[in-house]
Amino acid sequence: MNTIHSLISLFLFACFLPLLLSFSPPQTHLPMPCLDDQRSPLLQLQHYLYYASNFTFSSNFDLWDVNTDCCSWEGVTCDAYGHVVGIDLSYKNLSGSFHSIFDLHHLQHLNLDGNNFNNTLFSYGFDELQNLTHLNLSRACFHGQIPMKISHLTRLVSLDLSYQDDCSWGNGYPYYLPPLKLEKPNFKTFIKNLKFLTELYLDGVDISTQSTKWCETTSLVLSNLRVLSLSNCGLKGPLCSSLSRLSFLSKLILDGNPISYLPPNSLESSSRLVSLSLRNCNLNGHFPTGILLLPKIQSIDISENNHLMGQLPEFSPNNALQSLSLYSTNFSGKLPESIGNLKFLTDIVLNYCNFFGPIPSSIANLSHLVNLHLKGNMLSGSIHSSLFTLPSLKTLYLGDNHLVGKIDEFPNASSSLIQELSIGNNYLTGLIPKSILQLPSPERLYIGGNIFSTMKLDMFVQLNNLKSLDLSNASLLIESGNRSLTFPQLEILSLRSCNLTEFPEFIKTQDKLIYLDLSNNHIHGVVPNWLWKSTLSYLLLSFNVIDFPKQLPLNDGNFSFPMLWGLHLGSCNLSAFPEFLKSQENLEDLDLSNNKISGAIPNWGNDLCPSKLQVVA
């Protein structure tokens, strides 16, 4: 009987074994190590690359340990079969040759962003990488024609060839390189096979030879685009209304192109648009208000379009806007009280427009606001102290308006994050609030040009982080013995039109000064040697009755101030060219106008080569 039971059990086990195995977890396989035919091109790549900070050979590229699996190397990604599918060597300051990369036929992602190749792209076999989906060669100092081979990469989803001109400044000194360009092939020919692109970045690529058809071509061919960034490409307008066909478009950047005109219906139906930047596009006419009310729009920058008109709409509580920049446009009207509905707003930059009326009190509701810039408008009324208590605010620019009255004290000044405060050139009265002087971290303070009560300079000494202080046109009292005052971080100081009668001695201890303006005071006498700082780039002393000592600092008539770029001595009652000018080799802006200088320019004066020179008596 036991035998029969055993046989039955064995039979049942055999029947159910396949079923049991089907429910067992699959066996996990460890990734294979880097294959030899993948390792070899990487070793060649390391051999032919080198570090080249500032375009100068520094050392061989030795990022990878040849004694380890190449799939573990920094910037290298492999699939489960040991094929290299990704290379990221961004921001390594690399130069040299990368031809061996094109032997890696499984490669899907290639990122060489932020390097110093200083070469053309023609010799590289991009068409050999038919699996490539992401190619980033931005900021890598390439120049010349973009090769047609890149347009053969029909699986590309993201292509970034932008900002090659960053090489001119990003490596420590000016270095000119001609731009990348699309001429042969032209833009239309180049993109016709790239139908799967969702992101296209060609910022700074010269496409100026194209007609205005670039816009229609883009909307017709690249129907899957989510990001289109073509700033400073020389594209001509107007912007076509067919862009609204790009139903997935979420980010559009066209800064610095002479588009000139924005048709009313060009973008208002772009329901997915999140970010729009049309800065410095020579736009005119009226900006379509509906774009400001798109359901997903978070960032709009249409600044530096001086002839572009518009008004702010009424904002609903569900508006998603986070950043709005309209500075240097012709926008006008009142700031709507509904601006307080923009609960996600972090940046609003409306400098130098034509807005008028009071500052809406509802701005005090914007708890995420970091930058509030309303400088250079015609705003009137008072400054409510609640603006100073916004919990995230770092910069507050209200200068050059028609604001009046006193500023009340505000609570919790010691917890404020404000770093930059500009309230100058208004009609503010009364005392400077003590709360402003209790701010813990202001670096820039512009309060001159108001009708405040007399201020003492030592009021500001407790602001230890000040880098820039502008008290121009203020009734300022600097007590004698002020040499003990010190502002340890001060780089910019403007005391223009402050009724000063002598050079303030506290300047003697300011060893970081770059810019000093003491013009239009009542200072008289000899300029003291201690006023000259080796750090000074700009010194303005115009409209004071002053003279210069016979001996300069260090008793050296050839003493040079190496950083001095601008010097204004207009209307200073000078009777002769100051001798120390003979050794100022870097002087570019020199004003000696309206003095009593007579006779010919001295021989050494002919060696001065400022780009801006005024010597008219």
Side-chain angles (χ1 to χ4, degrees), residues 352-384:
Y352 301 107
C353 297
N354 290 306
F355 292 108
F356 58 84
I359 299 173
S361 59
S362 63
I363 290 181
N365 300 329
L366 303 178
S367 59
H368 297 288
L369 197 61
V370 176
N371 301 300
L372 175 58
H373 294 188
L374 303 176
K375 184 178 180 180
N377 285 282
M378 296 177 286
L379 299 174
S380 57
S382 60
I383 300 177
H384 198 277

Side-chain angles (χ1 to χ4, degrees), residues 302-558:
I302 50 175
S303 54
E304 298 181 58
N305 290 292
N306 296 323
H307 303 292
L308 182 63
M309 296 177 285
Q311 292 185 332
L312 294 183
E314 293 295 331
F315 296 102
S316 63
N318 61 350
N319 194 291
L321 201 60
Q322 297 177 16
S323 177
L324 177 62
S325 182
L326 307 177
Y327 75 86
S328 294
T329 64
N330 204 17
F331 267 65
S332 60
K334 291 185 176 182
L335 302 178
E337 192 68 28
S338 60
I339 203 169
N341 288 332
L342 302 176
K343 57 184 178 180
F344 301 109
L345 198 65
T346 60
D347 301 270
I348 182 164
V349 182
L350 309 181
N351 292 342
Y352 301 107
C353 297
N354 290 306
F355 292 108
F356 58 84
I359 299 173
S361 59
S362 63
I363 290 181
N365 300 329
L366 303 178
S367 59
H368 297 288
L369 197 61
V370 176
N371 301 300
L372 175 58
H373 294 188
L374 303 176
K375 184 178 180 180
N377 285 282
M378 296 177 286
L379 299 174
S380 57
S382 60
I383 300 177
H384 198 277
S385 59
S386 61
L387 291 180
F388 297 92
T389 63
L390 287 167
S392 303
L393 197 66
K394 292 185 178 180
T395 66
L396 177 59
Y397 286 7
L398 303 176
D400 299 315
N401 278 290
H402 299 158
L403 300 169
V404 299
K406 298 180 179 180
I407 301 177
D408 294 332
E409 301 287 348
F410 50 90
N412 302 319
S414 60
S415 61
S416 171
L417 301 179
I418 292 178
Q419 296 175 354
E420 300 182 22
L421 174 61
S422 170
I423 55 176
N425 296 327
N426 282 291
Y427 301 95
L428 303 173
T429 57
L431 297 171
I432 296 289
K434 292 180 180 178
S435 309
I436 289 180
L437 303 175
Q438 293 168 357
L439 295 172
S441 54
E443 296 180 359
R444 290 171 174 80
L445 185 59
Y446 310 99
I447 64 176
N450 285 291
I451 319 173
F452 287 124
S453 302
T454 299
M455 293 180 287
K456 293 184 178 181
L457 185 64
D458 58 6
M459 294 167 53
F460 303 94
V461 173
Q462 64 199 56
L463 303 176
N464 292 324
N465 295 316
L466 272 183
K467 293 182 178 179
S468 181
L469 177 62
D470 188 340
L471 301 176
S472 299
N473 297 288
S475 179
L476 183 65
L477 178 61
I478 302 180
E479 297 178 337
S480 58
N482 61 79
R483 68 181 66 182
S484 61
L485 299 178
T486 182
F487 299 88
Q489 306 300 326
L490 199 62
E491 297 175 354
I492 298 173
L493 175 63
S494 182
L495 301 178
R496 183 181 69 255
S497 303
C498 286
N499 292 318
L500 303 178
T501 58
E502 59 184 18
F503 290 99
E505 288 197 40
F506 80 95
I507 294 176
K508 184 182 299 186
T509 60
Q510 306 308 311
D511 293 329
K512 295 185 179 180
L513 274 183
I514 296 173
Y515 178 99
L516 175 61
D517 186 355
L518 297 176
S519 60
N520 203 33
N521 281 289
H522 302 292
I523 300 173
H524 57 277
V526 175
V527 178
N529 286 348
W530 49 256
L531 187 74
W532 301 98
K533 305 288 182 183
S534 60
T535 54
L536 270 180
S537 293
Y538 237 101
L539 177 61
L540 294 84
L541 299 176
S542 297
F543 295 96
N544 289 291
V545 183
I546 59 176
D547 202 353
F548 292 89
K550 301 301 180 183
Q551 291 183 326
L552 288 175
L554 306 181
N555 296 325
D556 184 357
N558 293 319

Side-chain angles (χ1 to χ4, degrees), residues 218-356:
T218 301
S219 56
L220 182 65
V221 176
L222 304 179
S223 58
N224 295 307
L225 269 186
R226 289 172 169 78
V227 178
L228 178 61
S229 189
L230 301 175
S231 60
N232 299 301
C233 290
L235 300 175
K236 300 175 179 63
L239 203 65
C240 61
S241 57
S242 60
L243 272 182
S244 59
R245 296 178 196 159
L246 299 176
S247 56
F248 299 105
L249 191 65
S250 64
K251 187 174 183 179
L252 178 61
I253 303 173
L254 297 172
D255 300 339
N257 292 297
I259 292 171
S260 74
Y261 181 62
L262 194 62
N265 300 319
S266 56
L267 294 169
E268 285 188 294
S269 61
S270 302
S271 59
R272 296 185 184 229
L273 198 62
V274 173
S275 178
L276 173 66
S277 189
L278 300 172
R279 186 174 66 251
N280 189 25
C281 287
N282 197 31
L283 295 176
N284 55 66
H286 284 269
F287 184 75
T289 304
I291 294 177
L292 294 162
L293 300 174
L294 288 172
K296 294 188 177 182
I297 197 74
Q298 295 178 8
S299 174
I300 297 177
D301 185 351
I302 50 175
S303 54
E304 298 181 58
N305 290 292
N306 296 323
H307 303 292
L308 182 63
M309 296 177 285
Q311 292 185 332
L312 294 183
E314 293 295 331
F315 296 102
S316 63
N318 61 350
N319 194 291
L321 201 60
Q322 297 177 16
S323 177
L324 177 62
S325 182
L326 307 177
Y327 75 86
S328 294
T329 64
N330 204 17
F331 267 65
S332 60
K334 291 185 176 182
L335 302 178
E337 192 68 28
S338 60
I339 203 169
N341 288 332
L342 302 176
K343 57 184 178 180
F344 301 109
L345 198 65
T346 60
D347 301 270
I348 182 164
V349 182
L350 309 181
N351 292 342
Y352 301 107
C353 297
N354 290 306
F355 292 108
F356 58 84

